[in-house]
Amino acid sequence: MSNSRHLPAAPTTSRDLAAAGGVTAHWHDEHQIVYASRGVVAVHTEASRWIAPAHRALWIPSGTVHSHRAYGVTRLHFLGLKQNPLKLHEPTALAVSPLLRELLIAYTERTDRETPAGKRMRSVLLDQLAAASEQPVRVPAARDPRLAAVCATLETDPSDTRGLEALGREAGASGRTLTRLFRDEMGMTFPQWRTQVRLYHALRLLAEGQPVTAVALRCGFATSSAFIDVFRRSLGHTPGSYL
């Protein structure tokens, strides 16, 4: 992301993005919350990718170079923050309650934020953000070329069900070596990473209107019921709620 733009202020605003639209790499001197009230937004940094449907918001600390990508027609809400009320120093996905959702939409769309009513709304909004739990769908980037090759294979085809030994033969690394690399570089096990990748792709496909059964098969789940179970346990909702 060497060609990133420096935009000092993180704006508080809302905007629409067409399906497959995006915002090129940039960074702010302020912190920012990014929330999609419609569609799904993915945020890419040099280290990881996050994806957030309507039940998640993304916290982006100041100085973080990032870009946005929309899946499906997306309504984005941006909240700029000079302070760090969440005490978070890395990008993080946050659970969005029904109240927090309405506050994010209403506050980013109002034009009188400096009125007493606007300041009271902001205070409640910050209280709700501080209470939000972390709920990531995060795909870390690999540094080791052998690990990167395995990750690229599964990103291209998340339905690939091969284990690390078989994948490693193509990448020139043993299953044991890859297991260690996943732990050291990704901070998670291979099964955990594969689940994150499958959920990442599933959210993209659901935002594009693909039926649940087709999404389950394309993302490597043996049955739609298995997909629904993993999806609900990971994200707290069924895939059907995203259609």
Side-chain angles (χ1 to χ4, degrees):
M1 295 188 178
S2 58
N3 295 322
S4 60
R5 297 170 294 150
H6 178 210
L7 305 175
T12 296
T13 187
S14 57
R15 61 179 292 189
D16 293 317
L17 284 180
V23 180
T24 57
H26 62 283
W27 59 282
H28 306 290
D29 294 333
E30 300 174 349
H31 312 288
Q32 190 175 57
I33 293 286
V34 179
Y35 174 65
S37 61
R38 182 174 71 246
V40 170
V41 62
V43 173
H44 292 199
T45 70
E46 292 180 340
S48 294
R49 285 168 295 148
W50 287 258
I51 193 162
H55 303 295
R56 301 288 182 269
L58 293 169
W59 163 261
I60 302 173
S62 63
T64 302
V65 178
H66 61 286
S67 60
H68 308 299
R69 174 69 182 267
Y71 294 98
V73 177
T74 301
R75 178 71 171 171
L76 284 181
H77 303 268
F78 301 95
L79 174 65
L81 297 167
K82 294 182 179 180
Q83 306 300 320
N84 186 347
L86 304 184
K87 309 302 181 186
L88 295 172
H89 302 287
E90 295 182 355
T92 306
L94 303 170
V96 174
S97 67
L99 175 57
L100 180 54
R101 168 188 166 83
E102 297 306 321
L103 287 167
L104 283 168
I105 293 172
Y107 186 76
T108 57
E109 293 186 347
R110 69 184 298 155
T111 58
D112 57 346
R113 300 187 194 99
E114 296 306 313
T115 63
K119 292 178 179 179
R120 288 194 296 271
M121 180 180 288
R122 180 183 177 87
S123 294
V124 177
L125 173 54
L126 293 179
D127 286 343
Q128 290 296 307
L129 281 173
S133 60
E134 299 179 25
Q135 296 284 342
V137 174
R138 170 178 170 260
V139 181
R143 297 185 300 275
D144 186 284
R146 297 165 297 176
L147 184 61
V150 169
C151 293
T153 295
L154 296 179
E155 295 246 24
T156 301
D157 181 12
S159 68
D160 191 329
T161 60
R162 288 179 294 169
L164 277 182
E165 286 294 343
L167 292 165
R169 282 193 287 272
E170 292 183 0
S174 68
R176 184 174 181 178
T177 296
L178 291 171
T179 296
R180 175 180 55 79
L181 288 172
F182 269 105
R183 183 181 64 250
D184 293 346
E185 292 197 11
M186 306 296 201
M188 60 181 70
T189 65
F190 170 60
Q192 289 171 332
W193 182 88
R194 178 158 25 202
T195 296
Q196 292 293 295
V197 167
R198 288 175 170 177
L199 289 173
Y200 187 98
H201 283 272
L203 285 167
R204 291 172 50 181
L205 294 171
L206 290 168
E208 293 167 359
Q210 296 292 317
V212 171
T213 300
V215 172
L217 294 177
R218 289 182 62 180
C219 292
F221 293 93
T223 64
S224 57
S225 60
F227 169 51
I228 292 168
D229 181 59
V230 171
F231 196 99
R232 182 171 50 231
R233 285 190 285 108
S234 299
L235 299 175
H237 301 269
T238 64
S241 67
Y242 290 84
L243 295 176

